Amino acid sequence: MAEQAEKKHVVVIGAGPGGLTAAMILAHRGFRVTVCEAQPHVGGRNGAIRLGPYTFDIGPTFLMLKDILDEVFREAGGDADKAMDMRRLEPMYRLQYQDKYIETSTDHEKMKSEIARVFPGHENRYDKFFKQEQTRFRYLFPCLQKSYHRFRTMFAPDMIKALPYIAAGKSLFDVMYGIFGNRDLALTFTFQAKYLGMSPWECPGLFSIIPYIEHGFGIYHPIGGLSRISETMADQARANGAEIRLSAPVEKIIVKDRRAKGVRLAGGEVIEADDVVINADFGYAAQNLFEPGVLRKWTPQKLQKMRLSCSIFMMYLGVDKSYDLPHHTVFFAKDYRRNVEDVFHLRDPGTDISFYVRNASLTDPTLAPPGHSALYVLVPVANLRAPVDWAAKRDSFREVVLKNIEERTPMKDIRSHIREEKIIGPREWRDDLNVYEGATFNLAHNLTQMLYFRPRNKFEEVGNCYLVGGGTHPGSGLPTIYESGRIAANLIARSHQVPFVSGNLEV
Ligand SMILES: Cc1cc2nc3c(=O)[nH]c(=O)nc-3n(C[C@H](O)[C@H](O)[C@H](O)COP(=O)(O)OP(=O)(O)OC[C@H]3O[C@@H](n4cnc5c(N)ncnc54)[C@H](O)[C@@H]3O)c2cc1C
């Protein structure tokens, strides 16, 4: 097995979660693997920012479906639990409305009593939610784990069986309001549309599996932060023999006779390859990594027609104080629906914003010195298709965010305690992190941009070229991104007749 694979060289563009998953698995199967990463560190959006004594996660702040991470590590010859100290968060998070808050739990009876406390009389509806969504998850999730490079997969028997569960024509909000019959309670189970960069009122109903996944399987924090997962994956890939080249931006993918033959780095160096895996953001890659005219389908015009996720205005604040605030808190805008529509209908964010504060120092002492906190503040905003001049707006929007924090959280004196600060807004996502239109959660996940209709793991335009990451199938979010890396690794192994053992054989 190793002999066959050793002759094959795979170049992976980008050391984000998708690229690292593919790299560590392929290297374990005996392939020669070279990862070229533009940044001086691994992880991409799942990397770390270190400011003075503070460590922040750039993007992901919790892991769902830990089993998938465990599986991909096993398939790379590693053991995630041995390599990382994973903590299951209980309660999971607090949701703060104007006049009340609710804390969510994976303990069924605790969750019901919390619903009874905040929304009396609605607690038994949680049983219905759990049962209905458990069934939906059982039918739908295996369909997301396959590759859709062939149209016929859309008609595979398990897809047909899953059809009644896709909630066609219904939004996530419709599905949850249908169960809970209370707007604010329904928000508890629909704000998760944000994880896909979508609005609960537009996100397809089938994504009700996301709140189920949280409540059914819990959410995790690795000590050291979520970036530890990427760093540990990189260690595993290196241990398996992969080379990870940092500060090595790829300028172009070399294509001959419509097949990928390697990459050219920004400095001019050419690296030949049998296969190329693209982990760089899909919209950015389609626009920048191919010579003009190579792509016939994913042209700039086609990309402009695709629906995109929202963007995010991020503030990373190192403060010399501890605050009484849970690990994760989401603050809903006064007029949440209007706020969501501003974000998704490409309007200026205004001052009545929704925001999320992560106070991970509460659980994890490695992120800040004793008595200090590494605070992460996330504000969903429109992507760069909106007519907002972020160069002019950045400072005034920082003020809006700080004012909201002062008014709505216990951190009334935050300004006087900020020791370190970094902002990443829509323009920085695009210009510094190569994210197309600053749409941080990639292409939107509407039904016409999913499965066979999303850019495919076996790239449909160029041979020997594979896509991984949030812009391809199954979509944005760590577990599905790990699946994209595993699907690509399996497709590559199969194309070279390299036998492998995988929990996902549906390629
Ligand atoms: C603010 C935020 C919060 C999120 N929170 C969560 C969460 O809590 N849980 C969750 O499951 N998901 C979350 N996500 C979604 C998703 O899991 C992450 O965005 C994830 O990091 C995306 O992984 P990826 O593999 O698609 O690509 P990326 O992480 O974007 O990695 C792509 C890599 O390609 C590199 N690259 C780009 N261009 C080039 C080039 N030309 N040459 C070489 N390298 C290049 C980049 O530098 C980068 O390292 C969040 C995302 C964001 C932005």
Side-chain angles (χ1 to χ4, degrees), residues 91-119:
M92 292 192 285
Y93 43 79
R94 177 182 291 184
L95 301 175
Q96 181 75 51
Y97 303 85
Q98 294 304 310
D99 54 345
K100 55 185 173 284
Y101 73 81
I102 186 165
E103 283 189 347
T104 57
S105 172
T106 51
D107 178 320
H108 198 92
E109 290 312 313
K110 244 195 211 165
M111 189 65 223
K112 281 178 74 175
S113 10
E114 180 69 350
I115 294 177
R117 179 185 71 79
V118 190
F119 302 98

PDB file of all heavy atoms in Angstrom, residues 91-119:
ATOM      1  N   PRO A  91     -23.101  24.504  31.571  1.00  0.00           N
ATOM      2  CA  PRO A  91     -24.042  24.647  30.472  1.00  0.00           C
ATOM      3  C   PRO A  91     -23.315  24.973  29.165  1.00  0.00           C
ATOM      4  O   PRO A  91     -22.162  25.386  29.179  1.00  0.00           O
ATOM      5  CB  PRO A  91     -24.928  25.812  30.923  1.00  0.00           C
ATOM      6  CG  PRO A  91     -24.118  26.575  31.908  1.00  0.00           C
ATOM      7  CD  PRO A  91     -23.224  25.572  32.570  1.00  0.00           C
ATOM      8  N   MET A  92     -24.034  24.830  28.061  1.00  0.00           N
ATOM      9  CA  MET A  92     -23.369  25.070  26.776  1.00  0.00           C
ATOM     10  C   MET A  92     -23.158  26.566  26.545  1.00  0.00           C
ATOM     11  O   MET A  92     -22.061  27.006  26.270  1.00  0.00           O
ATOM     12  CB  MET A  92     -24.191  24.470  25.636  1.00  0.00           C
ATOM     13  CG  MET A  92     -24.219  22.942  25.662  1.00  0.00           C
ATOM     14  SD  MET A  92     -24.874  22.259  24.147  1.00  0.00           S
ATOM     15  CE  MET A  92     -26.619  22.569  24.320  1.00  0.00           C
ATOM     16  N   TYR A  93     -24.231  27.334  26.655  1.00  0.00           N
ATOM     17  CA  TYR A  93     -24.108  28.789  26.438  1.00  0.00           C
ATOM     18  C   TYR A  93     -25.317  29.488  27.020  1.00  0.00           C
ATOM     19  O   TYR A  93     -26.337  28.857  27.325  1.00  0.00           O
ATOM     20  CB  TYR A  93     -23.973  29.138  24.942  1.00  0.00           C
ATOM     21  CG  TYR A  93     -24.897  28.375  24.036  1.00  0.00           C
ATOM     22  CD1 TYR A  93     -26.232  28.749  23.902  1.00  0.00           C
ATOM     23  CD2 TYR A  93     -24.438  27.281  23.311  1.00  0.00           C
ATOM     24  CE1 TYR A  93     -27.095  28.038  23.078  1.00  0.00           C
ATOM     25  CE2 TYR A  93     -25.294  26.561  22.480  1.00  0.00           C
ATOM     26  CZ  TYR A  93     -26.615  26.942  22.371  1.00  0.00           C
ATOM     27  OH  TYR A  93     -27.465  26.235  21.574  1.00  0.00           O
ATOM     28  N   ARG A  94     -25.156  30.809  27.204  1.00  0.00           N
ATOM     29  CA  ARG A  94     -26.273  31.631  27.663  1.00  0.00           C
ATOM     30  C   ARG A  94     -26.768  32.471  26.486  1.00  0.00           C
ATOM     31  O   ARG A  94     -25.962  33.007  25.713  1.00  0.00           O
ATOM     32  CB  ARG A  94     -25.815  32.568  28.785  1.00  0.00           C
ATOM     33  CG  ARG A  94     -26.912  33.499  29.261  1.00  0.00           C
ATOM     34  CD  ARG A  94     -26.423  34.443  30.325  1.00  0.00           C
ATOM     35  NE  ARG A  94     -26.132  33.738  31.575  1.00  0.00           N
ATOM     36  CZ  ARG A  94     -25.756  34.364  32.693  1.00  0.00           C
ATOM     37  NH1 ARG A  94     -25.609  35.674  32.709  1.00  0.00           N
ATOM     38  NH2 ARG A  94     -25.519  33.664  33.783  1.00  0.00           N
ATOM     39  N   LEU A  95     -28.093  32.566  26.366  1.00  0.00           N
ATOM     40  CA  LEU A  95     -28.691  33.450  25.352  1.00  0.00           C
ATOM     41  C   LEU A  95     -29.383  34.574  26.098  1.00  0.00           C
ATOM     42  O   LEU A  95     -30.273  34.325  26.930  1.00  0.00           O
ATOM     43  CB  LEU A  95     -29.696  32.681  24.489  1.00  0.00           C
ATOM     44  CG  LEU A  95     -29.111  31.486  23.735  1.00  0.00           C
ATOM     45  CD1 LEU A  95     -30.201  30.722  23.007  1.00  0.00           C
ATOM     46  CD2 LEU A  95     -28.049  31.937  22.739  1.00  0.00           C
ATOM     47  N   GLN A  96     -28.964  35.794  25.817  1.00  0.00           N
ATOM     48  CA  GLN A  96     -29.455  36.947  26.564  1.00  0.00           C
ATOM     49  C   GLN A  96     -30.434  37.736  25.695  1.00  0.00           C
ATOM     50  O   GLN A  96     -30.057  38.297  24.662  1.00  0.00           O
ATOM     51  CB  GLN A  96     -28.255  37.825  26.957  1.00  0.00           C
ATOM     52  CG  GLN A  96     -28.595  39.054  27.747  1.00  0.00           C
ATOM     53  CD  GLN A  96     -28.948  38.736  29.205  1.00  0.00           C
ATOM     54  OE1 GLN A  96     -28.203  38.036  29.891  1.00  0.00           O
ATOM     55  NE2 GLN A  96     -30.090  39.233  29.669  1.00  0.00           N
ATOM     56  N   TYR A  97     -31.699  37.739  26.118  1.00  0.00           N
ATOM     57  CA  TYR A  97     -32.714  38.580  25.463  1.00  0.00           C
ATOM     58  C   TYR A  97     -32.707  39.925  26.195  1.00  0.00           C
ATOM     59  O   TYR A  97     -31.952  40.118  27.143  1.00  0.00           O
ATOM     60  CB  TYR A  97     -34.089  37.927  25.569  1.00  0.00           C
ATOM     61  CG  TYR A  97     -34.141  36.529  24.989  1.00  0.00           C
ATOM     62  CD1 TYR A  97     -33.761  35.419  25.751  1.00  0.00           C
ATOM     63  CD2 TYR A  97     -34.561  36.309  23.680  1.00  0.00           C
ATOM     64  CE1 TYR A  97     -33.797  34.145  25.226  1.00  0.00           C
ATOM     65  CE2 TYR A  97     -34.604  35.023  23.155  1.00  0.00           C
ATOM     66  CZ  TYR A  97     -34.218  33.948  23.926  1.00  0.00           C
ATOM     67  OH  TYR A  97     -34.243  32.682  23.404  1.00  0.00           O
ATOM     68  N   GLN A  98     -33.597  40.843  25.815  1.00  0.00           N
ATOM     69  CA  GLN A  98     -33.632  42.142  26.499  1.00  0.00           C
ATOM     70  C   GLN A  98     -33.990  41.962  27.972  1.00  0.00           C
ATOM     71  O   GLN A  98     -33.424  42.597  28.841  1.00  0.00           O
ATOM     72  CB  GLN A  98     -34.665  43.075  25.843  1.00  0.00           C
ATOM     73  CG  GLN A  98     -34.317  43.473  24.424  1.00  0.00           C
ATOM     74  CD  GLN A  98     -32.947  44.135  24.322  1.00  0.00           C
ATOM     75  OE1 GLN A  98     -32.648  45.062  25.064  1.00  0.00           O
ATOM     76  NE2 GLN A  98     -32.115  43.644  23.413  1.00  0.00           N
ATOM     77  N   ASP A  99     -34.972  41.098  28.248  1.00  0.00           N
ATOM     78  CA  ASP A  99     -35.559  41.045  29.586  1.00  0.00           C
ATOM     79  C   ASP A  99     -35.305  39.727  30.309  1.00  0.00           C
ATOM     80  O   ASP A  99     -35.789  39.521  31.408  1.00  0.00           O
ATOM     81  CB  ASP A  99     -37.080  41.255  29.449  1.00  0.00           C
ATOM     82  CG  ASP A  99     -37.697  40.271  28.454  1.00  0.00           C
ATOM     83  OD1 ASP A  99     -36.932  39.645  27.678  1.00  0.00           O
ATOM     84  OD2 ASP A  99     -38.926  40.092  28.457  1.00  0.00           O
ATOM     85  N   LYS A 100     -34.587  38.808  29.707  1.00  0.00           N
ATOM     86  CA  LYS A 100     -34.405  37.489  30.329  1.00  0.00           C
ATOM     87  C   LYS A 100     -33.233  36.777  29.669  1.00  0.00           C
ATOM     88  O   LYS A 100     -32.749  37.224  28.624  1.00  0.00           O
ATOM     89  CB  LYS A 100     -35.675  36.642  30.159  1.00  0.00           C
ATOM     90  CG  LYS A 100     -36.128  36.486  28.714  1.00  0.00           C
ATOM     91  CD  LYS A 100     -37.457  35.750  28.625  1.00  0.00           C
ATOM     92  CE  LYS A 100     -38.039  35.719  27.229  1.00  0.00           C
ATOM     93  NZ  LYS A 100     -38.652  36.932  26.764  1.00  0.00           N
ATOM     94  N   TYR A 101     -32.813  35.694  30.294  1.00  0.00           N
ATOM     95  CA  TYR A 101     -31.811  34.873  29.621  1.00  0.00           C
ATOM     96  C   TYR A 101     -32.144  33.404  29.836  1.00  0.00           C
ATOM     97  O   TYR A 101     -32.883  33.035  30.757  1.00  0.00           O
ATOM     98  CB  TYR A 101     -30.393  35.186  30.132  1.00  0.00           C
ATOM     99  CG  TYR A 101     -30.091  34.681  31.520  1.00  0.00           C
ATOM    100  CD1 TYR A 101     -29.738  33.360  31.754  1.00  0.00           C
ATOM    101  CD2 TYR A 101     -30.168  35.548  32.609  1.00  0.00           C
ATOM    102  CE1 TYR A 101     -29.480  32.895  33.042  1.00  0.00           C
ATOM    103  CE2 TYR A 101     -29.911  35.080  33.900  1.00  0.00           C
ATOM    104  CZ  TYR A 101     -29.571  33.761  34.103  1.00  0.00           C
ATOM    105  OH  TYR A 101     -29.323  33.296  35.372  1.00  0.00           O
ATOM    106  N   ILE A 102     -31.592  32.573  28.957  1.00  0.00           N
ATOM    107  CA  ILE A 102     -31.763  31.128  29.111  1.00  0.00           C
ATOM    108  C   ILE A 102     -30.385  30.481  28.968  1.00  0.00           C
ATOM    109  O   ILE A 102     -29.552  30.969  28.183  1.00  0.00           O
ATOM    110  CB  ILE A 102     -32.783  30.576  28.075  1.00  0.00           C
ATOM    111  CG1 ILE A 102     -33.077  29.094  28.340  1.00  0.00           C
ATOM    112  CG2 ILE A 102     -32.307  30.760  26.632  1.00  0.00           C
ATOM    113  CD1 ILE A 102     -34.331  28.590  27.606  1.00  0.00           C
ATOM    114  N   GLU A 103     -30.138  29.428  29.746  1.00  0.00           N
ATOM    115  CA  GLU A 103     -28.869  28.693  29.600  1.00  0.00           C
ATOM    116  C   GLU A 103     -29.183  27.287  29.128  1.00  0.00           C
ATOM    117  O   GLU A 103     -30.075  26.630  29.667  1.00  0.00           O
ATOM    118  CB  GLU A 103     -28.113  28.675  30.933  1.00  0.00           C
ATOM    119  CG  GLU A 103     -27.457  30.013  31.178  1.00  0.00           C
ATOM    120  CD  GLU A 103     -26.499  30.056  32.363  1.00  0.00           C
ATOM    121  OE1 GLU A 103     -26.499  29.121  33.183  1.00  0.00           O
ATOM    122  OE2 GLU A 103     -25.770  31.054  32.447  1.00  0.00           O
ATOM    123  N   THR A 104     -28.454  26.847  28.126  1.00  0.00           N
ATOM    124  CA  THR A 104     -28.792  25.572  27.505  1.00  0.00           C
ATOM    125  C   THR A 104     -27.932  24.448  28.083  1.00  0.00           C
ATOM    126  O   THR A 104     -26.780  24.661  28.446  1.00  0.00           O
ATOM    127  CB  THR A 104     -28.594  25.633  25.978  1.00  0.00           C
ATOM    128  OG1 THR A 104     -27.248  26.012  25.726  1.00  0.00           O
ATOM    129  CG2 THR A 104     -29.541  26.627  25.350  1.00  0.00           C
ATOM    130  N   SER A 105     -28.541  23.261  28.108  1.00  0.00           N
ATOM    131  CA  SER A 105     -27.863  22.112  28.708  1.00  0.00           C
ATOM    132  C   SER A 105     -28.088  20.868  27.857  1.00  0.00           C
ATOM    133  O   SER A 105     -29.107  20.740  27.175  1.00  0.00           O
ATOM    134  CB  SER A 105     -28.454  21.879  30.101  1.00  0.00           C
ATOM    135  OG  SER A 105     -27.960  20.678  30.643  1.00  0.00           O
ATOM    136  N   THR A 106     -27.138  19.935  27.945  1.00  0.00           N
ATOM    137  CA  THR A 106     -27.327  18.653  27.261  1.00  0.00           C
ATOM    138  C   THR A 106     -28.035  17.657  28.191  1.00  0.00           C
ATOM    139  O   THR A 106     -28.334  16.545  27.780  1.00  0.00           O
ATOM    140  CB  THR A 106     -25.977  18.039  26.836  1.00  0.00           C
ATOM    141  OG1 THR A 106     -25.117  18.032  27.958  1.00  0.00           O
ATOM    142  CG2 THR A 106     -25.346  18.807  25.714  1.00  0.00           C
ATOM    143  N   ASP A 107     -28.248  18.072  29.430  1.00  0.00           N
ATOM    144  CA  ASP A 107     -29.004  17.230  30.359  1.00  0.00           C
ATOM    145  C   ASP A 107     -30.494  17.495  30.087  1.00  0.00           C
ATOM    146  O   ASP A 107     -30.993  18.605  30.319  1.00  0.00           O
ATOM    147  CB  ASP A 107     -28.608  17.612  31.792  1.00  0.00           C
ATOM    148  CG  ASP A 107     -29.377  16.816  32.830  1.00  0.00           C
ATOM    149  OD1 ASP A 107     -30.592  16.591  32.645  1.00  0.00           O
ATOM    150  OD2 ASP A 107     -28.759  16.424  33.823  1.00  0.00           O
ATOM    151  N   HIS A 108     -31.175  16.471  29.574  1.00  0.00           N
ATOM    152  CA  HIS A 108     -32.550  16.644  29.080  1.00  0.00           C
ATOM    153  C   HIS A 108     -33.472  17.270  30.141  1.00  0.00           C
ATOM    154  O   HIS A 108     -34.189  18.234  29.862  1.00  0.00           O
ATOM    155  CB  HIS A 108     -33.084  15.281  28.627  1.00  0.00           C
ATOM    156  CG  HIS A 108     -34.276  15.382  27.729  1.00  0.00           C
ATOM    157  ND1 HIS A 108     -34.181  15.418  26.363  1.00  0.00           N
ATOM    158  CD2 HIS A 108     -35.590  15.495  28.022  1.00  0.00           C
ATOM    159  CE1 HIS A 108     -35.397  15.527  25.844  1.00  0.00           C
ATOM    160  NE2 HIS A 108     -36.271  15.583  26.831  1.00  0.00           N
ATOM    161  N   GLU A 109     -33.415  16.727  31.351  1.00  0.00           N
ATOM    162  CA  GLU A 109     -34.338  17.221  32.387  1.00  0.00           C
ATOM    163  C   GLU A 109     -33.963  18.630  32.838  1.00  0.00           C
ATOM    164  O   GLU A 109     -34.829  19.469  33.062  1.00  0.00           O
ATOM    165  CB  GLU A 109     -34.372  16.259  33.588  1.00  0.00           C
ATOM    166  CG  GLU A 109     -35.060  14.931  33.268  1.00  0.00           C
ATOM    167  CD  GLU A 109     -36.427  15.094  32.561  1.00  0.00           C
ATOM    168  OE1 GLU A 109     -37.242  15.913  33.001  1.00  0.00           O
ATOM    169  OE2 GLU A 109     -36.658  14.409  31.536  1.00  0.00           O
ATOM    170  N   LYS A 110     -32.664  18.897  32.906  1.00  0.00           N
ATOM    171  CA  LYS A 110     -32.210  20.253  33.270  1.00  0.00           C
ATOM    172  C   LYS A 110     -32.688  21.259  32.219  1.00  0.00           C
ATOM    173  O   LYS A 110     -33.133  22.360  32.535  1.00  0.00           O
ATOM    174  CB  LYS A 110     -30.678  20.280  33.291  1.00  0.00           C
ATOM    175  CG  LYS A 110     -30.085  20.545  34.641  1.00  0.00           C
ATOM    176  CD  LYS A 110     -28.622  20.912  34.468  1.00  0.00           C
ATOM    177  CE  LYS A 110     -27.841  20.461  35.684  1.00  0.00           C
ATOM    178  NZ  LYS A 110     -26.426  20.459  35.455  1.00  0.00           N
ATOM    179  N   MET A 111     -32.581  20.871  30.955  1.00  0.00           N
ATOM    180  CA  MET A 111     -32.992  21.773  29.871  1.00  0.00           C
ATOM    181  C   MET A 111     -34.486  22.047  29.957  1.00  0.00           C
ATOM    182  O   MET A 111     -34.932  23.186  29.785  1.00  0.00           O
ATOM    183  CB  MET A 111     -32.615  21.139  28.512  1.00  0.00           C
ATOM    184  CG  MET A 111     -32.796  22.067  27.327  1.00  0.00           C
ATOM    185  SD  MET A 111     -31.702  23.502  27.369  1.00  0.00           S
ATOM    186  CE  MET A 111     -32.822  24.805  26.884  1.00  0.00           C
ATOM    187  N   LYS A 112     -35.237  20.994  30.277  1.00  0.00           N
ATOM    188  CA  LYS A 112     -36.693  21.196  30.401  1.00  0.00           C
ATOM    189  C   LYS A 112     -37.010  22.126  31.570  1.00  0.00           C
ATOM    190  O   LYS A 112     -37.874  23.007  31.456  1.00  0.00           O
ATOM    191  CB  LYS A 112     -37.403  19.852  30.581  1.00  0.00           C
ATOM    192  CG  LYS A 112     -37.560  19.125  29.262  1.00  0.00           C
ATOM    193  CD  LYS A 112     -38.219  17.784  29.409  1.00  0.00           C
ATOM    194  CE  LYS A 112     -39.697  17.872  29.674  1.00  0.00           C
ATOM    195  NZ  LYS A 112     -40.328  16.536  29.697  1.00  0.00           N
ATOM    196  N   SER A 113     -36.296  21.974  32.696  1.00  0.00           N
ATOM    197  CA  SER A 113     -36.620  22.889  33.803  1.00  0.00           C
ATOM    198  C   SER A 113     -36.175  24.315  33.482  1.00  0.00           C
ATOM    199  O   SER A 113     -36.809  25.271  33.936  1.00  0.00           O
ATOM    200  CB  SER A 113     -36.053  22.469  35.156  1.00  0.00           C
ATOM    201  OG  SER A 113     -35.184  21.443  35.059  1.00  0.00           O
ATOM    202  N   GLU A 114     -35.118  24.457  32.701  1.00  0.00           N
ATOM    203  CA  GLU A 114     -34.702  25.818  32.315  1.00  0.00           C
ATOM    204  C   GLU A 114     -35.757  26.446  31.387  1.00  0.00           C
ATOM    205  O   GLU A 114     -36.101  27.618  31.531  1.00  0.00           O
ATOM    206  CB  GLU A 114     -33.321  25.748  31.631  1.00  0.00           C
ATOM    207  CG  GLU A 114     -32.745  27.074  31.182  1.00  0.00           C
ATOM    208  CD  GLU A 114     -32.326  28.018  32.317  1.00  0.00           C
ATOM    209  OE1 GLU A 114     -32.647  27.740  33.486  1.00  0.00           O
ATOM    210  OE2 GLU A 114     -31.711  29.059  32.011  1.00  0.00           O
ATOM    211  N   ILE A 115     -36.299  25.633  30.482  1.00  0.00           N
ATOM    212  CA  ILE A 115     -37.372  26.157  29.614  1.00  0.00           C
ATOM    213  C   ILE A 115     -38.575  26.519  30.482  1.00  0.00           C
ATOM    214  O   ILE A 115     -39.190  27.583  30.314  1.00  0.00           O
ATOM    215  CB  ILE A 115     -37.750  25.139  28.508  1.00  0.00           C
ATOM    216  CG1 ILE A 115     -36.581  24.940  27.535  1.00  0.00           C
ATOM    217  CG2 ILE A 115     -38.994  25.632  27.728  1.00  0.00           C
ATOM    218  CD1 ILE A 115     -36.804  23.896  26.447  1.00  0.00           C
ATOM    219  N   ALA A 116     -38.877  25.663  31.468  1.00  0.00           N
ATOM    220  CA  ALA A 116     -40.025  25.936  32.354  1.00  0.00           C
ATOM    221  C   ALA A 116     -39.806  27.235  33.134  1.00  0.00           C
ATOM    222  O   ALA A 116     -40.729  28.006  33.376  1.00  0.00           O
ATOM    223  CB  ALA A 116     -40.224  24.774  33.315  1.00  0.00           C
ATOM    224  N   ARG A 117     -38.534  27.507  33.523  1.00  0.00           N
ATOM    225  CA  ARG A 117     -38.233  28.729  34.273  1.00  0.00           C
ATOM    226  C   ARG A 117     -38.458  29.975  33.403  1.00  0.00           C
ATOM    227  O   ARG A 117     -39.046  30.954  33.844  1.00  0.00           O
ATOM    228  CB  ARG A 117     -36.759  28.701  34.748  1.00  0.00           C
ATOM    229  CG  ARG A 117     -36.324  29.939  35.532  1.00  0.00           C
ATOM    230  CD  ARG A 117     -34.840  29.923  35.880  1.00  0.00           C
ATOM    231  NE  ARG A 117     -33.938  30.119  34.763  1.00  0.00           N
ATOM    232  CZ  ARG A 117     -33.655  31.302  34.198  1.00  0.00           C
ATOM    233  NH1 ARG A 117     -34.211  32.399  34.653  1.00  0.00           N
ATOM    234  NH2 ARG A 117     -32.825  31.363  33.172  1.00  0.00           N
ATOM    235  N   VAL A 118     -38.012  29.896  32.143  1.00  0.00           N
ATOM    236  CA  VAL A 118     -38.011  31.114  31.303  1.00  0.00           C
ATOM    237  C   VAL A 118     -39.273  31.197  30.433  1.00  0.00           C
ATOM    238  O   VAL A 118     -39.788  32.294  30.176  1.00  0.00           O
ATOM    239  CB  VAL A 118     -36.741  31.141  30.415  1.00  0.00           C
ATOM    240  CG1 VAL A 118     -36.593  32.496  29.720  1.00  0.00           C
ATOM    241  CG2 VAL A 118     -35.491  30.840  31.219  1.00  0.00           C
ATOM    242  N   PHE A 119     -39.750  30.064  29.973  1.00  0.00           N
ATOM    243  CA  PHE A 119     -40.936  30.035  29.092  1.00  0.00           C
ATOM    244  C   PHE A 119     -41.936  29.031  29.667  1.00  0.00           C
ATOM    245  O   PHE A 119     -42.156  27.958  29.088  1.00  0.00           O
ATOM    246  CB  PHE A 119     -40.538  29.628  27.664  1.00  0.00           C
ATOM    247  CG  PHE A 119     -39.521  30.525  27.032  1.00  0.00           C
ATOM    248  CD1 PHE A 119     -38.165  30.195  27.032  1.00  0.00           C
ATOM    249  CD2 PHE A 119     -39.906  31.724  26.424  1.00  0.00           C
ATOM    250  CE1 PHE A 119     -37.220  31.025  26.453  1.00  0.00           C
ATOM    251  CE2 PHE A 119     -38.961  32.561  25.846  1.00  0.00           C
ATOM    252  CZ  PHE A 119     -37.620  32.214  25.854  1.00  0.00           C
TER     253      PHE A 119
END
